[in-house]
Every structure is written in C-alpha cells, then in structure tokens.
Amino acid sequence: TASEEDGWLALPNYVRGSAEIAFGKDAASEMIKEHRLVAVGTTGGTNALRSLSDSIVVSWREKEDAPMPEVLISKPTWSNHRGIFEESGLKVIEYDHLRENRYNIEANLDAIQKSGPDTLVLFHAGRTHNPTGDNPSTEKEWEELADAMFADSKNGRFAIFDAAYLGWGDGLDEDALGIRKFREKEVRMAVALSNSKNGGAYSWRTGLLLMEERTPERAENLQ
C-alpha cells in the first residue's frame, strides 16, 4: 500500500518505524518531514538488494559512454551477494575480510581507496557480519571507513548496507551505528533492511529498501 504523503511503496507506519531503526528517530523524522526519504517494500532484504542493483543498472545504461560501476564485497560474504549483483549485470570485486580470523580493517580501507570513484561498496550493518560474525565494532572504525569513501572522489563512493540482523549484535541503536555514522559524514548510501529475523516475522519476508535524497524533487523522481 502506497503512502499518499510521500508515494512510498510500503505501509507508512512500517516505513517510519524502520527508518527510525536504521537512521535514528531524529534523523528519520527530519528526512520524512522534508520529504526526502525514498522507501520501497520488498520481499526481505534479499529483494531490497536486487531491486537496488537492477535500478542502478537501468540508470547507468541511460548515461552515454559511462562504464558500469563495480561492486566491492567482502571475502567471504553471504553466498547470495555475488549472485544478486552479477545477475543484475554488475561486476563484483573482493577484499579479504579477515586476517588471522579477525576483521581486517586495513584491507577494507585499502580496497575502498583503490576502487573507482563510482564503486558501490557493500557493508554488513552492525557487528553481525555474515558468515564470519566479525565486523567493524567501534565508532572510530566506521568513521575511518566513511572517510575512505571520499578518497580521490569529490562525490564519494556509494555505500550499500545489508542490514539483516539489526538488534542481534549489541542492540538496535548500537548495530545501526555504521549507517548513522555514514549519514553524518554525508556518504551516499542505500539501506537494504530486513525485519524478518529481529521482528520475528521471517515467514512474512518483511524487507524494505531505504534511501535519503538531498531534495524533495530528487526523492520524488527516484521514488
């Protein structure tokens, strides 16, 4: 059901509540009040990722002589990530997520900094990286990653947060730290949110694709 107010392709209360979980209450209230939030209900977080990747490919094909962006993912990652992006027509590149069985932030930062300016960078939200369970765990690490997104790029690379387990690590607010830090740093991003597990509604495949635009006009066009 679409919202008459913002054209969201999802139930309005579900969008508002989910945006508060991902971005925080004040930030969600701000972007909703200013009509800058884009929201699409999806079949779980999986379909949110696929809807996003398909949309990116369509929009890029409309640009003349623009090479298709690459997607930077961790190695290892959830087994479906590569398939989702490659089926849409995007090239996937990898970095080693672990070193001595611990999260390897140096490799992550290096891979971001060496990637092209239009690269899509996939992050697992929270401390619940799938399948390793080891992810950035401090505010400083998330800030370093956010800063790296602008290395050699005026507009910054585009972050994709796969947020399938918010609340299963340290709590809803704590697990959304990376998303909120990236927003504070003005990194362009999308959030593929799943409430299937943390909401106890797995059989309903409750997903949502969330994006914030800079103006109401841009949000309306993207929606």
Side-chain angles (χ1 to χ4, degrees), residues 166-187:
L166 293 183
W168 279 48
D170 296 319
L172 288 174
D173 290 327
E174 294 86 352
D175 291 351
L177 177 62
I179 297 172
R180 299 177 188 184
K181 280 297 168 186
F182 271 49
R183 182 179 183 272
E184 287 178 13
K185 295 278 189 175
E186 298 185 348
V187 178

Side-chain angles (χ1 to χ4, degrees), residues 68-72 93 110-121 148-153 156-158 188:
M68 197 69 69
E70 297 177 322
V71 185
L72 177 64
I93 54 178
D110 184 62
I112 294 171
Q113 291 163 351
K114 289 180 178 178
S115 65
D118 292 317
T119 300
L120 313 169
V121 184
M149 296 291 285
F150 289 98
D152 301 321
S153 176
R157 294 157 180 80
F158 190 90
R188 297 179 299 161

Side-chain angles (χ1 to χ4, degrees), residues 113-182:
Q113 291 163 351
K114 289 180 178 178
S115 65
D118 292 317
T119 300
L120 313 169
V121 184
L122 179 69
F123 296 93
H124 298 218
R127 298 183 66 178
T128 46
H129 180 273
N130 184 357
T132 71
D134 210 348
N135 218 26
S137 58
T138 66
E139 183 174 338
K140 181 177 183 292
E141 287 182 331
W142 284 117
E143 287 180 345
E144 288 178 349
L145 291 166
D147 290 338
M149 296 291 285
F150 289 98
D152 301 321
S153 176
K154 180 179 179 181
N155 295 319
R157 294 157 180 80
F158 190 90
I160 303 172
F161 277 93
D162 186 352
Y165 300 96
L166 293 183
W168 279 48
D170 296 319
L172 288 174
D173 290 327
E174 294 86 352
D175 291 351
L177 177 62
I179 297 172
R180 299 177 188 184
K181 280 297 168 186
F182 271 49

Side-chain angles (χ1 to χ4, degrees), residues 19-166:
E20 289 179 359
I21 289 173
F23 301 110
K25 288 186 177 181
D26 291 343
S29 177
E30 174 187 313
M31 62 182 77
I32 291 172
K33 183 178 181 180
E34 296 176 1
H35 305 284
R36 295 187 292 102
L37 179 66
V38 176
V40 179
T42 60
T43 310
T46 305
N47 184 234
L49 289 170
R50 181 59 190 265
S51 297
L52 175 65
S53 59
D54 283 350
S55 298
I56 289 170
V57 169
V58 169
S59 64
W60 229 267
R61 284 175 177 165
E62 294 174 351
K63 301 179 181 181
E64 294 185 4
D65 301 323
M68 197 69 69
E70 297 177 322
V71 185
L72 177 64
I73 67 174
S74 64
K75 180 183 179 180
T77 191
W78 179 46
S79 58
N80 284 337
H81 278 151
R82 175 180 285 275
I84 288 169
F85 295 116
E86 289 184 339
E87 283 294 321
S88 294
L90 296 168
K91 180 182 177 181
V92 172
I93 54 178
E94 298 178 324
Y95 72 93
D96 290 325
H97 187 72
L98 298 179
R99 182 177 63 188
E100 297 178 353
N101 293 321
R102 300 290 297 177
Y103 167 60
N104 189 353
I105 188 171
E106 291 81 9
N108 199 350
L109 290 170
D110 184 62
I112 294 171
Q113 291 163 351
K114 289 180 178 178
S115 65
D118 292 317
T119 300
L120 313 169
V121 184
L122 179 69
F123 296 93
H124 298 218
R127 298 183 66 178
T128 46
H129 180 273
N130 184 357
T132 71
D134 210 348
N135 218 26
S137 58
T138 66
E139 183 174 338
K140 181 177 183 292
E141 287 182 331
W142 284 117
E143 287 180 345
E144 288 178 349
L145 291 166
D147 290 338
M149 296 291 285
F150 289 98
D152 301 321
S153 176
K154 180 179 179 181
N155 295 319
R157 294 157 180 80
F158 190 90
I160 303 172
F161 277 93
D162 186 352
Y165 300 96
L166 293 183

